[in-house]
Amino acid sequence: MAQHAAGSIVGYYENLLVTVKTSLKWDEGGEISEKTQAGEVLTMMEDDIYRTSTQYRLWSFTPETLASLRATTNAAAAAGVKDAYRTLKPDNEQINVSANGVGEAPVDVDCLTVEEEQKIVGYYCLQTLDFVDFCEYPTNVKATAVQYLKRFYLTNSPMTYHPKKIMPTAVYLAMKSEDNFHYVKSFAEKLPKMTTEDILAPEFLLTQGLRFTFDVRHPFHGLEGGFMELLAFTNAKGQCGPSINKSPKELREEMMALEPVPGSAKATSAKDLVARIQNAHGRAKELLKTSALLTDAYFLYTPSQIWLSTLLLADEALARFYIDSKVPTMSEMRPKLLTTLKKCAEALHSSPIAQPDKEEKKELKRIDKKLGQCPNPQKMDLVSLNQAQKRDPDHNDGNGLNESVAKKRKLERQKSTKESDDLFGPAIPDKKI
């Protein structure tokens, strides 16, 4: 979470809501200090709104915490798989007898490693992007579905729940969350060999894995806001940040003097600047739709840091100009901001490519084959598990009603029937006339 706090004074200026209409004063730390009529000083950080979100409170991590969480999930899932196979193994197979007649313990199941789990989940994130594009759903549905999948597999393992079964449900839930609802029947028709039950069965399981938090804060709106601000600078209408005393014309002149992107000519007019900004915007947006979704950026950085990092990769000179127009050079927050953006940009730059090469495909096939040999047998049929959960929500092992609970319910039904007979009398017997 430390990285979320660093360098957050850029972005969301428009989101600040000041309820008392008095004089405002911005300081170098990016805060608003407000004196009320009673003389009480109130302070509001520009990222206070984001800090109240579930994304910041529940889904923000440091790299170390994220790695530890995945390792814990992998270890728990591996232990669960081995216990499940040990339970299902016939008694006469508990001990293997070698050629010399010496009893040996059964061979352990070869479970996935943390790295292999991440690769297989990453592959199904790619599949999610392709599927949503095929269905022509909006970008926000695509981005939310991928984040649902990544969040779910922070505390659940592919060995427990195969991503192939969770992915369609993640897309369907993202459609509802992003106000792009389709009937489940029409949605299921887009998926061969899948029924509506296959899509709905894991839905409650998925919402549990998401900790019942469906809001995902994406960086797309921030990029569009920065894009409009940069366009305003070209018309000498842009405004700089607090504590920066530069006129709109001075800012436009500084923009004209920026070093050009390698392979392009230096801007000599406002039209050239607009073309440069549009090109940078296009490249940054493409990074947000691919690299930002496929990496751990959402877990490690704020939305404003993510979109600024994509702009830094698309056009570094333009990104630094934008930061200079918002953050004072002598601000103590500036070095932290730049360091955080560079780390985020490096993470985005190292993201997996959208189309795996021959070697990557070979590795994914190996992992998928290994996953087929180490699934948790008690969690494979999600439709049956869902039906058992509906019949008995208090029974959590997923194997249906146990004998004691079934007997208890039978006795309760019999008691209820007897009480109704006592109140209204027994049923009228049929008499032959």
Side-chain angles (χ1 to χ4, degrees):
M1 255 185 219
Q3 291 188 359
H4 280 255
S8 56
I9 60 175
V10 175
Y12 298 123
Y13 284 100
E14 294 81 2
N15 291 335
L16 290 175
L17 301 176
V18 182
T19 56
V20 183
K21 296 183 179 179
T22 56
S23 59
L24 301 178
K25 179 183 178 182
W26 291 77
D27 59 23
E28 282 192 352
E31 298 181 351
I32 298 178
S33 296
E34 177 183 0
K35 179 173 287 189
T36 64
Q37 294 178 353
E40 181 184 2
V41 176
L42 304 177
T43 302
M44 179 184 291
M45 287 293 292
E46 60 82 25
D47 62 346
D48 278 350
I49 297 175
Y50 176 71
R51 286 173 180 269
T52 62
S53 68
T54 55
Q55 182 164 315
Y56 177 80
R57 292 186 290 107
L58 301 178
W59 302 105
S60 300
F61 308 93
T62 63
E64 295 77 17
T65 306
L66 194 61
S68 176
L69 180 59
R70 284 174 170 153
T72 301
T73 300
N74 175 261
V81 168
K82 293 175 183 178
D83 288 343
Y85 276 103
R86 193 177 298 113
T87 301
L88 296 176
K89 206 174 187 64
D91 294 337
N92 59 356
E93 294 183 14
Q94 288 293 332
I95 297 179
N96 297 330
V97 181
S98 62
N100 58 9
V102 180
E104 297 178 346
V107 179
D108 287 340
V109 180
D110 186 16
C111 296
L112 298 184
T113 64
V114 177
E115 292 74 18
E116 288 172 337
E117 285 187 333
Q118 283 191 262
K119 287 181 180 180
I120 200 69
V121 171
Y123 170 72
Y124 279 97
C125 287
L126 284 172
Q127 294 293 95
T128 302
L129 298 181
D130 292 340
F131 173 67
V132 175
D133 286 338
F134 169 76
C135 296
E136 298 182 345
Y137 296 146
T139 300
N140 57 337
V141 171
K142 178 198 304 185
T144 299
V146 171
Q147 292 311 305
Y148 282 175
L149 206 61
K150 292 176 76 69
R151 289 180 179 184
F152 178 80
Y153 283 107
L154 281 184
T155 52
N156 293 277
S157 168
M159 294 183 288
T160 308
Y161 304 108
H162 200 293
K164 184 186 295 185
K165 298 180 179 179
I166 301 297
M167 184 199 76
T169 308
V171 176
Y172 182 65
L173 187 60
M175 289 165 55
K176 293 192 287 185
S177 299
E178 296 295 340
D179 198 21
N180 193 63
F181 178 74
H182 289 67
Y183 287 106
V184 65
K185 185 177 180 181
S186 62
F187 178 72
E189 291 174 353
K190 300 178 184 293
L191 294 160
K193 300 181 181 180
M194 287 203 75
T195 64
T196 57
E197 290 79 7
D198 294 327
I199 296 168
L200 295 177
E203 189 171 31
F204 183 71
L205 179 69
L206 177 60
T207 58
Q208 284 182 310
L210 297 176
R211 303 173 72 174
F212 301 98
T213 59
F214 308 108
D215 179 37
V216 180
R217 303 295 179 95
H218 296 294
F220 300 108
H221 292 304
L223 176 63
E224 298 304 318
F227 173 62
M228 289 188 289
E229 281 193 288
L230 288 170
L231 290 178
F233 286 136
T234 64
N235 296 323
K237 295 181 180 179
Q239 295 183 352
C240 58
S243 304
I244 299 178
N245 298 319
K246 291 182 180 179
S247 66
K249 290 185 177 180
E250 289 176 326
L251 291 171
R252 183 174 62 177
E253 291 176 0
E254 288 185 11
M255 184 181 281
M256 293 285 290
L258 292 177
E259 288 295 322
V261 178
S264 61
K266 191 172 183 178
T268 58
S269 64
K271 184 178 180 180
D272 293 339
L273 286 177
V274 171
R276 177 175 183 170
I277 294 170
Q278 289 174 338
N279 290 334
H281 171 260
R283 291 194 296 269
K285 190 172 184 178
E286 189 61 29
L287 288 171
L288 290 182
K289 292 163 61 177
T290 52
S291 300
L293 298 178
L294 299 175
T295 61
D296 291 331
Y298 277 65
F299 294 137
L300 301 174
Y301 304 98
T302 66
S304 56
Q305 291 167 357
I306 295 173
W307 80 258
L308 278 169
S309 298
T310 60
L311 185 61
L312 198 66
L313 289 172
D315 191 331
E316 183 173 354
L318 193 62
R320 287 185 175 275
F321 165 80
Y322 181 80
I323 295 171
D324 291 341
S325 70
K326 298 297 179 182
V327 185
T329 306
M330 302 304 294
S331 171
E332 295 180 359
M333 187 69 74
R334 184 184 176 86
K336 297 179 182 179
L337 170 63
L338 294 176
T339 300
T340 301
L341 294 182
K342 287 179 181 178
K343 289 182 179 179
C344 183
E346 290 173 0
L348 295 175
H349 186 67
S350 62
S351 70
I353 57 177
Q355 295 298 329
D357 57 26
K358 186 177 180 180
E359 290 299 320
E360 289 175 330
K361 287 182 179 179
K362 184 178 179 181
E363 174 67 3
L364 288 170
K365 287 182 179 179
R366 180 193 68 79
I367 297 173
D368 192 54
K369 183 178 179 180
K370 184 178 178 181
L371 177 58
Q373 297 173 349
C374 63
N376 190 324
Q378 296 177 345
K379 306 290 185 179
M380 293 180 65
D381 191 350
L382 296 182
V383 174
S384 297
L385 287 174
N386 183 55
Q387 292 173 350
Q389 180 70 16
K390 288 180 179 179
R391 292 197 308 269
D392 182 18
D394 296 326
H395 191 63
N396 296 321
D397 64 2
N399 296 320
L401 293 171
N402 61 27
E403 187 176 355
S404 62
V405 175
K407 288 182 178 179
K408 182 179 178 181
R409 292 193 173 186
K410 183 178 180 180
L411 291 172
E412 289 176 350
R413 287 195 298 270
Q414 291 175 347
K415 182 180 178 181
S416 177
T417 302
K418 185 176 181 301
E419 290 176 349
S420 64
D421 288 344
D422 293 341
L423 180 62
F424 299 103
I428 300 175
D430 294 334
K431 293 183 179 181
K432 294 182 179 179
I433 301 176

